[in-house]
Amino acid sequence: DAGVIQSPRHEVTEMGQEVTLRCKPISGHNSLFWYRQTMMRGLELLIYFNNNVPIDDSGMPEDRFSAKMPNASFSTLKIQPSEPRDSAVYFCASSPRGNTEAFFGQGTRLTVV
Amino acid sequence: AQSVAQPEDQVNVAEGNPLTVKCTYSVSGNPYLFWYVQYPNRGLQFLLKYITGDNLVKGSYGFEAEFNKSQTSFHLKKPSALVSDSALYFCAVRDMGNTGKLIFGQGTTLQVKP
């Protein structure tokens, strides 16, 4: 398996633009996590899906952020409109059934100017 | 609510010496505990986990961790540090039997000097 695949790897956008980050989890995994990593706040859990259903989105910072998982093999994290303070590395991770360890993608480095 | 604390922002150790990276946790039920490592510009890599059983668990690259229920700790250890172990280390706890959320500590930078 190729592991968790995130795209794009790097994204530079202007303030106010819409940004969509994509994630393909490992086949057969039923849990998917979106995290944001910054120097100031470390690694924050934004949202967690189980069997394609959002279980906990309490970490989503505000209404500008939304996430979807239309099927077991794809998820998106959208920011609209983007702001400079959204600049961070966004990670997607997936895990198989049974509350075991999660496997991380390489991340998307987002820069909003 | 579940939480993880890594009390040290940075740990410095000389190559060949033993290392310890500290972690304490809080969770309502029985914890699933994990350690991950992150190298610059990379994603997090799984090192080891505690689910149940022996309190001392062994993982990748010679790392091990000791689960202590009374102290709610899960410290990462290695008998002899290598310069190549220098990286950012994260402790994590998963809320077993409840939501399944995976929460990370703030991370500890390990610097191993030759």
PDB file of all heavy atoms in Angstrom, chain B residues 45-64:
ATOM      1  N   GLN B  45       5.871   9.371  12.267  1.00  0.00           N
ATOM      2  CA  GLN B  45       6.080   7.934  12.115  1.00  0.00           C
ATOM      3  C   GLN B  45       5.813   7.245  13.449  1.00  0.00           C
ATOM      4  O   GLN B  45       6.306   7.684  14.489  1.00  0.00           O
ATOM      5  CB  GLN B  45       7.523   7.650  11.700  1.00  0.00           C
ATOM      6  CG  GLN B  45       7.923   8.221  10.365  1.00  0.00           C
ATOM      7  CD  GLN B  45       9.389   7.961  10.077  1.00  0.00           C
ATOM      8  OE1 GLN B  45       9.945   6.953  10.499  1.00  0.00           O
ATOM      9  NE2 GLN B  45      10.027   8.858   9.355  1.00  0.00           N
ATOM     10  N   PHE B  46       5.071   6.168  13.403  1.00  0.00           N
ATOM     11  CA  PHE B  46       4.747   5.392  14.595  1.00  0.00           C
ATOM     12  C   PHE B  46       5.990   4.688  15.127  1.00  0.00           C
ATOM     13  O   PHE B  46       6.745   4.076  14.359  1.00  0.00           O
ATOM     14  CB  PHE B  46       3.667   4.376  14.230  1.00  0.00           C
ATOM     15  CG  PHE B  46       3.423   3.330  15.262  1.00  0.00           C
ATOM     16  CD1 PHE B  46       2.729   3.626  16.424  1.00  0.00           C
ATOM     17  CD2 PHE B  46       3.870   2.029  15.075  1.00  0.00           C
ATOM     18  CE1 PHE B  46       2.487   2.657  17.376  1.00  0.00           C
ATOM     19  CE2 PHE B  46       3.626   1.058  16.015  1.00  0.00           C
ATOM     20  CZ  PHE B  46       2.942   1.366  17.166  1.00  0.00           C
ATOM     21  N   LEU B  47       6.197   4.769  16.466  1.00  0.00           N
ATOM     22  CA  LEU B  47       7.328   4.095  17.108  1.00  0.00           C
ATOM     23  C   LEU B  47       6.886   2.868  17.902  1.00  0.00           C
ATOM     24  O   LEU B  47       7.477   1.798  17.772  1.00  0.00           O
ATOM     25  CB  LEU B  47       8.034   5.055  18.073  1.00  0.00           C
ATOM     26  CG  LEU B  47       9.101   5.989  17.522  1.00  0.00           C
ATOM     27  CD1 LEU B  47       9.651   6.846  18.660  1.00  0.00           C
ATOM     28  CD2 LEU B  47      10.208   5.231  16.827  1.00  0.00           C
ATOM     29  N   LEU B  48       5.905   3.063  18.779  1.00  0.00           N
ATOM     30  CA  LEU B  48       5.459   1.964  19.628  1.00  0.00           C
ATOM     31  C   LEU B  48       4.131   2.317  20.265  1.00  0.00           C
ATOM     32  O   LEU B  48       3.686   3.463  20.221  1.00  0.00           O
ATOM     33  CB  LEU B  48       6.497   1.645  20.714  1.00  0.00           C
ATOM     34  CG  LEU B  48       7.020   2.788  21.588  1.00  0.00           C
ATOM     35  CD1 LEU B  48       6.045   3.165  22.678  1.00  0.00           C
ATOM     36  CD2 LEU B  48       8.369   2.429  22.195  1.00  0.00           C
ATOM     37  N   LYS B  49       3.499   1.283  20.869  1.00  0.00           N
ATOM     38  CA  LYS B  49       2.201   1.491  21.508  1.00  0.00           C
ATOM     39  C   LYS B  49       2.054   0.597  22.731  1.00  0.00           C
ATOM     40  O   LYS B  49       2.679  -0.472  22.821  1.00  0.00           O
ATOM     41  CB  LYS B  49       1.067   1.209  20.527  1.00  0.00           C
ATOM     42  CG  LYS B  49       0.987  -0.240  20.079  1.00  0.00           C
ATOM     43  CD  LYS B  49      -0.121  -0.445  19.059  1.00  0.00           C
ATOM     44  CE  LYS B  49      -0.128  -1.870  18.525  1.00  0.00           C
ATOM     45  NZ  LYS B  49      -1.137  -2.065  17.455  1.00  0.00           N
ATOM     46  N   TYR B  50       1.221   1.061  23.647  1.00  0.00           N
ATOM     47  CA  TYR B  50       0.779   0.247  24.769  1.00  0.00           C
ATOM     48  C   TYR B  50      -0.740   0.119  24.667  1.00  0.00           C
ATOM     49  O   TYR B  50      -1.457   1.125  24.623  1.00  0.00           O
ATOM     50  CB  TYR B  50       1.150   0.876  26.115  1.00  0.00           C
ATOM     51  CG  TYR B  50       0.508   0.144  27.265  1.00  0.00           C
ATOM     52  CD1 TYR B  50       1.081  -1.020  27.772  1.00  0.00           C
ATOM     53  CD2 TYR B  50      -0.700   0.573  27.805  1.00  0.00           C
ATOM     54  CE1 TYR B  50       0.470  -1.720  28.799  1.00  0.00           C
ATOM     55  CE2 TYR B  50      -1.309  -0.122  28.834  1.00  0.00           C
ATOM     56  CZ  TYR B  50      -0.721  -1.269  29.328  1.00  0.00           C
ATOM     57  OH  TYR B  50      -1.334  -1.966  30.333  1.00  0.00           O
ATOM     58  N   ILE B  51      -1.191  -1.135  24.652  1.00  0.00           N
ATOM     59  CA  ILE B  51      -2.629  -1.402  24.653  1.00  0.00           C
ATOM     60  C   ILE B  51      -3.005  -2.119  25.947  1.00  0.00           C
ATOM     61  O   ILE B  51      -3.882  -1.697  26.692  1.00  0.00           O
ATOM     62  CB  ILE B  51      -3.055  -2.250  23.433  1.00  0.00           C
ATOM     63  CG1 ILE B  51      -2.612  -1.567  22.133  1.00  0.00           C
ATOM     64  CG2 ILE B  51      -4.545  -2.504  23.442  1.00  0.00           C
ATOM     65  CD1 ILE B  51      -3.218  -0.200  21.914  1.00  0.00           C
ATOM     66  N   THR B  52      -2.328  -3.202  26.204  1.00  0.00           N
ATOM     67  CA  THR B  52      -2.552  -3.977  27.413  1.00  0.00           C
ATOM     68  C   THR B  52      -1.363  -4.911  27.588  1.00  0.00           C
ATOM     69  O   THR B  52      -0.520  -5.025  26.713  1.00  0.00           O
ATOM     70  CB  THR B  52      -3.870  -4.766  27.328  1.00  0.00           C
ATOM     71  OG1 THR B  52      -4.131  -5.390  28.590  1.00  0.00           O
ATOM     72  CG2 THR B  52      -3.792  -5.845  26.266  1.00  0.00           C
ATOM     73  N   GLY B  53      -1.265  -5.538  28.752  1.00  0.00           N
ATOM     74  CA  GLY B  53      -0.193  -6.504  28.939  1.00  0.00           C
ATOM     75  C   GLY B  53       1.004  -5.928  29.655  1.00  0.00           C
ATOM     76  O   GLY B  53       0.873  -5.106  30.571  1.00  0.00           O
ATOM     77  N   ASP B  54       2.192  -6.338  29.236  1.00  0.00           N
ATOM     78  CA  ASP B  54       3.425  -5.915  29.885  1.00  0.00           C
ATOM     79  C   ASP B  54       3.555  -4.402  29.890  1.00  0.00           C
ATOM     80  O   ASP B  54       3.278  -3.739  28.885  1.00  0.00           O
ATOM     81  CB  ASP B  54       4.651  -6.515  29.179  1.00  0.00           C
ATOM     82  CG  ASP B  54       4.763  -8.001  29.408  1.00  0.00           C
ATOM     83  OD1 ASP B  54       4.144  -8.496  30.374  1.00  0.00           O
ATOM     84  OD2 ASP B  54       5.448  -8.673  28.622  1.00  0.00           O
ATOM     85  N   ASN B  55       4.009  -3.886  31.017  1.00  0.00           N
ATOM     86  CA  ASN B  55       4.137  -2.434  31.135  1.00  0.00           C
ATOM     87  C   ASN B  55       5.294  -1.881  30.315  1.00  0.00           C
ATOM     88  O   ASN B  55       5.315  -0.692  29.993  1.00  0.00           O
ATOM     89  CB  ASN B  55       4.315  -2.031  32.600  1.00  0.00           C
ATOM     90  CG  ASN B  55       3.046  -2.247  33.396  1.00  0.00           C
ATOM     91  OD1 ASN B  55       1.957  -2.364  32.838  1.00  0.00           O
ATOM     92  ND2 ASN B  55       3.180  -2.323  34.710  1.00  0.00           N
ATOM     93  N   LEU B  56       6.256  -2.700  29.985  1.00  0.00           N
ATOM     94  CA  LEU B  56       7.384  -2.268  29.170  1.00  0.00           C
ATOM     95  C   LEU B  56       7.155  -2.755  27.746  1.00  0.00           C
ATOM     96  O   LEU B  56       7.079  -3.948  27.494  1.00  0.00           O
ATOM     97  CB  LEU B  56       8.694  -2.829  29.713  1.00  0.00           C
ATOM     98  CG  LEU B  56       9.959  -2.337  29.019  1.00  0.00           C
ATOM     99  CD1 LEU B  56      10.149  -0.839  29.250  1.00  0.00           C
ATOM    100  CD2 LEU B  56      11.181  -3.107  29.522  1.00  0.00           C
ATOM    101  N   VAL B  57       7.036  -1.808  26.846  1.00  0.00           N
ATOM    102  CA  VAL B  57       6.804  -2.154  25.448  1.00  0.00           C
ATOM    103  C   VAL B  57       8.012  -1.741  24.624  1.00  0.00           C
ATOM    104  O   VAL B  57       8.630  -0.708  24.883  1.00  0.00           O
ATOM    105  CB  VAL B  57       5.526  -1.500  24.893  1.00  0.00           C
ATOM    106  CG1 VAL B  57       4.310  -2.061  25.570  1.00  0.00           C
ATOM    107  CG2 VAL B  57       5.565   0.008  25.045  1.00  0.00           C
ATOM    108  N   LYS B  58       8.324  -2.556  23.643  1.00  0.00           N
ATOM    109  CA  LYS B  58       9.461  -2.272  22.782  1.00  0.00           C
ATOM    110  C   LYS B  58       8.970  -1.881  21.391  1.00  0.00           C
ATOM    111  O   LYS B  58       7.936  -2.385  20.922  1.00  0.00           O
ATOM    112  CB  LYS B  58      10.378  -3.496  22.696  1.00  0.00           C
ATOM    113  CG  LYS B  58      11.011  -3.854  24.035  1.00  0.00           C
ATOM    114  CD  LYS B  58      11.999  -4.972  23.910  1.00  0.00           C
ATOM    115  CE  LYS B  58      12.566  -5.363  25.271  1.00  0.00           C
ATOM    116  NZ  LYS B  58      13.333  -4.255  25.889  1.00  0.00           N
ATOM    117  N   GLY B  59       9.721  -0.977  20.760  1.00  0.00           N
ATOM    118  CA  GLY B  59       9.303  -0.497  19.458  1.00  0.00           C
ATOM    119  C   GLY B  59      10.452  -0.423  18.475  1.00  0.00           C
ATOM    120  O   GLY B  59      11.464  -1.110  18.622  1.00  0.00           O
ATOM    121  N   SER B  60      10.282   0.441  17.508  1.00  0.00           N
ATOM    122  CA  SER B  60      11.252   0.570  16.431  1.00  0.00           C
ATOM    123  C   SER B  60      12.523   1.266  16.902  1.00  0.00           C
ATOM    124  O   SER B  60      12.506   2.039  17.861  1.00  0.00           O
ATOM    125  CB  SER B  60      10.637   1.382  15.279  1.00  0.00           C
ATOM    126  OG  SER B  60       9.415   0.841  14.857  1.00  0.00           O
ATOM    127  N   TYR B  61      13.611   0.996  16.207  1.00  0.00           N
ATOM    128  CA  TYR B  61      14.893   1.686  16.380  1.00  0.00           C
ATOM    129  C   TYR B  61      15.448   1.587  17.804  1.00  0.00           C
ATOM    130  O   TYR B  61      16.188   2.463  18.243  1.00  0.00           O
ATOM    131  CB  TYR B  61      14.758   3.164  15.978  1.00  0.00           C
ATOM    132  CG  TYR B  61      14.080   3.371  14.655  1.00  0.00           C
ATOM    133  CD1 TYR B  61      12.895   4.098  14.570  1.00  0.00           C
ATOM    134  CD2 TYR B  61      14.592   2.824  13.478  1.00  0.00           C
ATOM    135  CE1 TYR B  61      12.256   4.292  13.358  1.00  0.00           C
ATOM    136  CE2 TYR B  61      13.952   3.008  12.265  1.00  0.00           C
ATOM    137  CZ  TYR B  61      12.789   3.736  12.217  1.00  0.00           C
ATOM    138  OH  TYR B  61      12.146   3.917  11.017  1.00  0.00           O
ATOM    139  N   GLY B  62      15.112   0.540  18.532  1.00  0.00           N
ATOM    140  CA  GLY B  62      15.649   0.343  19.866  1.00  0.00           C
ATOM    141  C   GLY B  62      14.945   1.108  20.967  1.00  0.00           C
ATOM    142  O   GLY B  62      15.376   1.080  22.125  1.00  0.00           O
ATOM    143  N   PHE B  63      13.877   1.800  20.621  1.00  0.00           N
ATOM    144  CA  PHE B  63      13.116   2.534  21.623  1.00  0.00           C
ATOM    145  C   PHE B  63      12.197   1.609  22.419  1.00  0.00           C
ATOM    146  O   PHE B  63      11.728   0.587  21.912  1.00  0.00           O
ATOM    147  CB  PHE B  63      12.277   3.638  20.977  1.00  0.00           C
ATOM    148  CG  PHE B  63      13.083   4.840  20.577  1.00  0.00           C
ATOM    149  CD1 PHE B  63      13.584   4.958  19.285  1.00  0.00           C
ATOM    150  CD2 PHE B  63      13.348   5.854  21.492  1.00  0.00           C
ATOM    151  CE1 PHE B  63      14.335   6.065  18.914  1.00  0.00           C
ATOM    152  CE2 PHE B  63      14.091   6.961  21.123  1.00  0.00           C
ATOM    153  CZ  PHE B  63      14.588   7.062  19.833  1.00  0.00           C
ATOM    154  N   GLU B  64      11.937   1.992  23.647  1.00  0.00           N
ATOM    155  CA  GLU B  64      10.980   1.302  24.498  1.00  0.00           C
ATOM    156  C   GLU B  64      10.271   2.335  25.353  1.00  0.00           C
ATOM    157  O   GLU B  64      10.723   3.484  25.462  1.00  0.00           O
ATOM    158  CB  GLU B  64      11.677   0.254  25.367  1.00  0.00           C
ATOM    159  CG  GLU B  64      12.776   0.805  26.250  1.00  0.00           C
ATOM    160  CD  GLU B  64      13.593  -0.295  26.902  1.00  0.00           C
ATOM    161  OE1 GLU B  64      13.706  -1.403  26.336  1.00  0.00           O
ATOM    162  OE2 GLU B  64      14.131  -0.030  27.991  1.00  0.00           O
TER     163      GLU B  64
END
